[in-house]
């Protein structure tokens, strides 16, 4: 029996791969929200980072975020992809709004 091979994703340049962190499906008052009423989370865990941004003078600047960090990103930023049944978002570093510590 062949072992299942996991796909490895390596973003290019200043891009970051993020896995969304699902929020609690109910309001503070205890009301459970149906799937149709939920918005996609804007918070996620950094899975992989690119090699960095290249400036006009050719100098490479490393990204400010690191793998494993928790970030907040723009609501409609990035490209959603599915790999091995898992959903991810590929974002440019400029689409990241904050790093949570």
């Amino acid at each position: 029996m062949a072992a299942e091979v996991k796909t490895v994703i390596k973003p290019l340049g200043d891009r970051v791969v993020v896995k969304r962190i699902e929020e609690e499906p109910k309001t503070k008052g205890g009301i459970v929200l149906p799937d149709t009423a939920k918005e996609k989370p804007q918070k996620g865990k950094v899975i992989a980072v690119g090699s960095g941004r290249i400036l006009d003078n050719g100098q490479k600047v490393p990204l400010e975020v690191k793998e494993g960090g928790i970030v907040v990103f723009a609501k409609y930023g990035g490209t959603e992809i599915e790999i091995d049944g898992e959903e991810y978002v590929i974002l440019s570093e400029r689409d990241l709004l904050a790093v949570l510590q």
Side-chain angles (χ1 to χ4, degrees):
M1 183 187 262
E4 187 176 322
V5 177
K6 283 285 204 178
T7 303
V8 175
I9 184 166
K10 178 69 177 159
L12 302 175
D14 72 337
R15 290 184 177 73
V16 178
V17 178
V18 174
K19 181 165 179 46
R20 291 182 193 268
I21 297 174
E22 295 295 325
E23 300 291 329
E24 186 66 31
K26 52 182 169 176
T27 66
K28 289 181 182 179
I31 299 171
V32 177
L33 297 172
D35 287 341
T36 55
K38 288 194 289 186
E39 290 189 17
K40 289 192 176 185
Q42 292 176 254
K43 184 168 53 171
K45 181 177 181 180
V46 177
I47 302 300
V49 297
S51 59
R53 183 172 37 112
I54 298 177
L55 301 176
D56 291 336
N57 65 6
Q59 180 183 359
K60 187 176 278 190
V61 178
L63 300 181
E64 291 185 51
V65 297
K66 304 287 184 231
E67 289 181 18
I70 305 297
V71 295
V72 177
F73 51 91
K75 191 173 209 166
Y76 298 107
T79 301
E80 295 180 358
I81 60 168
E82 186 174 320
I83 298 174
D84 297 333
E86 298 283 335
E87 291 185 11
Y88 301 95
V89 182
I90 299 177
L91 301 145
S92 174
E93 187 180 39
R94 70 179 154 268
D95 291 329
L96 300 178
L97 304 175
V99 176
L100 302 177
Q101 297 182 358

